[in-house]
């Protein structure tokens, strides 16, 4: 159910799992309701009381919650993003005071909360670049620069022709190798294609799927991305599945619809245990290779939306475990701010992954992110 621009006075014993309230005023009480996975966006909730509700996986984005009170609610997996919280209480505890106490009393390793339970992944997507000697030279330079990195998973996704060279150059190092695509059939008359089994047999660990360039220039669809993801998982590969909106889709204000649709279709029929082996890369198409980066807040907003969508489909625990990267003109200068965001667990990097020094700066930004 969608409620936009409404003034509501009471919600009681309502059972609405996909409730979506946007730009509304709700300065009243919500009692004994099931609001699992619901989303409140830009809504006035000041002074509202939430009492004994199932608010599992609920998302509150840019809401005014000042003076609101939450009592005896199930808030597992709930996410509050960019909300006004002064005076808000949960079971009588003042949320802002609790956050200040938390910040002051816990050291850095505890401050990222759920983010700390997910390992950041920085993956380079080399696209159609580098001959074998060039690939070896880049990886030889990179491995020396990142040898001390432990808390970030480093991946280089390289053209098929470079896989063997890349695997040999990175053997025994902390750099993992990925491919840039795979076909969904196991074998057969598919000239020019490479199967997931062929990659796995070589020792390749990751594979980029559904990249916008594949969707744009090679007519890949959500249906084939879904089939490729299933094939990659069956072969034991870790898929990095790319989703993202076109510029005009963002301008038409349908980014969330586009992303939700891609997530639902690309992961259709994939069980939670398999989903946990996947990485999702949020790559706004307008930011790829254009030098136009999404702001850190835009990246966070969509990555948080992806997590909330996964929470609705798979539950909050699974959603919290998934690594969600940002990709789109991420570089040495803007990486730190992007990866510092709560729901941005690393990046998929195109152009900047072709220079060892720049890629290293991004990796090191994710170490502290
Ligand atoms: C990409 O190819 O996935 C990508 C994000 O490219 P770039 O960093 O060059 O925008």
């Amino acid at each position: 159910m969608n409620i936009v621009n409404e003034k509501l006075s009471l919600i009681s014993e309502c059972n609405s799992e996909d409730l979506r309230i946007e730009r509304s005023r709700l300065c009243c009480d919500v009692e004994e309701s099931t609001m699992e996975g619901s989303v409140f966006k830009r809504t006035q909730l000041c002074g509202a009381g939430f009492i004994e509700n199932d608010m599992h996986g609920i998302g509150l984005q840019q809401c005014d919650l000042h003076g609101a009170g939450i009592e005896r609610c199930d808030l597992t997996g709930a996410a509050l993003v960019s909300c006004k919280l002064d005076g808000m209480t949960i079971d009588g505890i003042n949320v802002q005071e609790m956050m200040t106490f938390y910040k002051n009393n816990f050291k850095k390793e505890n401050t990222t909360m759920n983010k700390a339970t997910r390992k950041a992944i920085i993956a380079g997507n080399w696209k159609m670049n580098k001959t074998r000697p060039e690939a070896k030279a880049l990886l030889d330079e990179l491995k020396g620069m990142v040898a001390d990195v432990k808390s970030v998973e480093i991946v280089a996704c390289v053209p098929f022709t470079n896989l063997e060279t890349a695997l040999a150059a990175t053997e025994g190092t902390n750099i993992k190798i990925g491919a840039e695509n795979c076909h969904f059939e196991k074998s057969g008359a598919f000239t020019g294609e490479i199967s997931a089994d062929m990659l796995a047999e070589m020792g390749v660990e990751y594979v980029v799927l559904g990249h916008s360039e594949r969707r744009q220039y090679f007519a890949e669809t959500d249906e084939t991305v879904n089939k490729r993801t299933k094939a990659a998982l069956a072969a034991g590969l870790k898929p990095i599945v790319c989703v993202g909106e076109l510029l005009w889709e963002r301008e038409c204000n349908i980014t969330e619809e586009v992303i939700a649709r891609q997530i639902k279709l690309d992961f259709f029929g994939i069980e939670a245990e398999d989903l946990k082996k996947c990485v999702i890369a949020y790559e706004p198409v307008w930011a790829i290779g254009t030098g136009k980066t999404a702001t850190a807040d835009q990246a966070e907003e969509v990555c948080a939306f992806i997590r909330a969508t996964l929470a609705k489909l798979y539950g909050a625990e699974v959603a919290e475990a998934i690594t969600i990267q940002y990709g789109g003109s991420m570089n040495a200068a803007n990486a730190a701010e992007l990866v510092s965001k709560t729901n941005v667990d690393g990046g998929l990097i195109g152009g900047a992954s072709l220079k060892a020094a720049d890629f290293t700066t991004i990796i090191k930004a994710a170490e502290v992110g």
Side-chain angles (χ1 to χ4, degrees):
M1 193 198 327
N2 257 14
I3 299 176
V4 183
N5 276 331
E6 286 291 335
K7 189 169 175 201
L8 304 171
S9 52
L10 176 72
I11 300 183
S12 178
E13 291 181 33
C14 122
N15 188 347
S16 185
E17 293 193 5
D18 281 319
L19 187 66
R20 197 184 157 90
I21 301 187
E22 204 169 333
R23 295 191 298 279
S24 299
R25 263 184 87 79
L26 179 63
C27 299
C28 63
D29 291 340
V30 182
E31 293 167 7
E32 294 178 38
S33 299
T34 301
M35 312 186 89
E36 198 177 321
S38 295
V39 175
F40 288 76
K41 200 167 172 188
R42 292 196 200 102
T43 289
Q44 290 263 2
L45 296 159
C46 38
F50 292 86
I51 303 144
E52 287 181 16
N53 299 303
D54 179 356
M55 295 164 75
H56 214 109
I58 195 170
L60 293 148
Q61 300 162 11
Q62 296 162 275
C63 292
D64 182 352
L65 281 154
H66 82 264
I70 298 182
E71 304 279 328
R72 303 186 296 282
C73 294
D74 179 356
L75 285 166
T76 320
L80 274 76
V81 182
S82 307
C83 294
K84 192 164 177 231
L85 299 174
D86 43 312
M88 180 193 174
T89 58
I90 297 181
D91 287 334
I93 299 168
N94 184 297
V95 173
Q96 278 210 317
E97 283 171 16
M98 184 176 72
M99 282 165 66
T100 309
F101 175 85
Y102 191 90
K103 272 192 197 143
N104 293 342
N105 290 280
F106 290 82
K107 295 212 180 342
K108 199 193 138 279
E109 58 266 29
N110 288 331
T111 55
T112 46
M113 296 191 249
N114 289 329
K115 206 172 149 82
T117 66
R118 301 184 289 268
K119 193 168 187 181
I121 302 179
I122 297 291
N125 173 23
W126 287 12
K127 312 193 192 209
M128 196 172 73
N129 289 297
K130 304 288 175 193
T131 60
R132 284 179 303 161
E134 287 167 349
K136 181 171 167 12
L138 175 54
L139 289 166
D140 282 346
E141 194 184 356
L142 181 68
K143 66 190 179 193
M145 292 174 149
V146 298
D148 58 336
V149 173
K150 291 194 175 60
S151 60
V152 176
E153 176 103 324
I154 305 167
V155 186
C157 299
V158 306
F160 293 131
T161 49
N162 288 341
L163 285 171
E164 196 149 22
T165 305
L167 285 163
T170 55
E171 199 178 343
T173 73
N174 56 351
I175 303 172
K176 307 280 166 56
I177 297 303
E180 296 178 14
N181 200 10
C182 72
H183 197 261
F184 46 81
E185 293 293 347
K186 280 185 101 52
S187 61
F190 300 98
T191 304
E193 293 294 326
I194 303 283
S195 77
D197 286 340
M198 290 172 180
L199 299 174
E201 183 277 329
M202 294 181 79
V204 169
E205 255 183 72
Y206 286 85
V207 59
V208 177
L209 296 172
H211 192 280
S212 63
E213 287 152 15
R214 299 293 319 170
R215 294 178 192 252
Q216 194 179 345
Y217 306 130
F218 302 96
E220 287 189 18
T221 62
D222 288 311
E223 189 188 357
T224 62
V225 174
N226 175 252
K227 285 182 174 178
R228 285 169 211 269
T229 306
K230 287 176 176 161
L233 286 164
L237 298 172
K238 295 174 190 154
I240 301 176
V241 179
C242 305
V243 297
E245 80 285 3
L246 305 171
L247 183 58
W248 72 271
E249 289 170 333
R250 175 165 280 266
E251 286 169 354
C252 293
N253 217 11
I254 59 162
T255 298
E256 291 188 355
E257 281 94 321
V258 172
I259 301 291
R261 182 187 153 87
Q262 288 176 342
I263 295 286
K264 285 180 189 164
L265 294 176
D266 295 353
F267 294 103
F268 179 75
I270 293 174
E271 300 292 332
E273 277 318 299
D274 272 340
L275 183 84
K276 285 186 187 169
K277 297 172 194 152
C278 298
V279 174
I280 298 177
Y282 166 55
E283 299 212 310
V285 180
W286 47 271
I288 297 176
T290 58
K292 261 192 190 175
T293 320
T295 64
D297 284 341
Q298 285 172 325
E300 169 63 14
E301 190 178 14
V302 181
C303 290
F305 174 76
I306 292 173
R307 207 175 299 288
T309 305
L310 294 174
K312 277 192 210 165
L313 297 171
Y314 291 92
E317 193 202 327
V318 176
E320 279 303 323
I322 306 294
T323 294
I324 303 176
Q325 302 172 311
Y326 167 78
S329 300
M330 198 191 265
N331 58 38
N334 60 27
E337 196 190 352
L338 286 160
V339 299
S340 72
K341 292 289 175 182
T342 312
N343 285 286
V344 180
D345 309 315
L348 182 58
I349 329 292
S353 70
L354 298 171
K355 292 190 188 121
D358 287 1
F359 196 46
T360 301
T361 304
I362 297 170
I363 291 163
K364 299 218 165 169
E367 266 198 303
V368 289

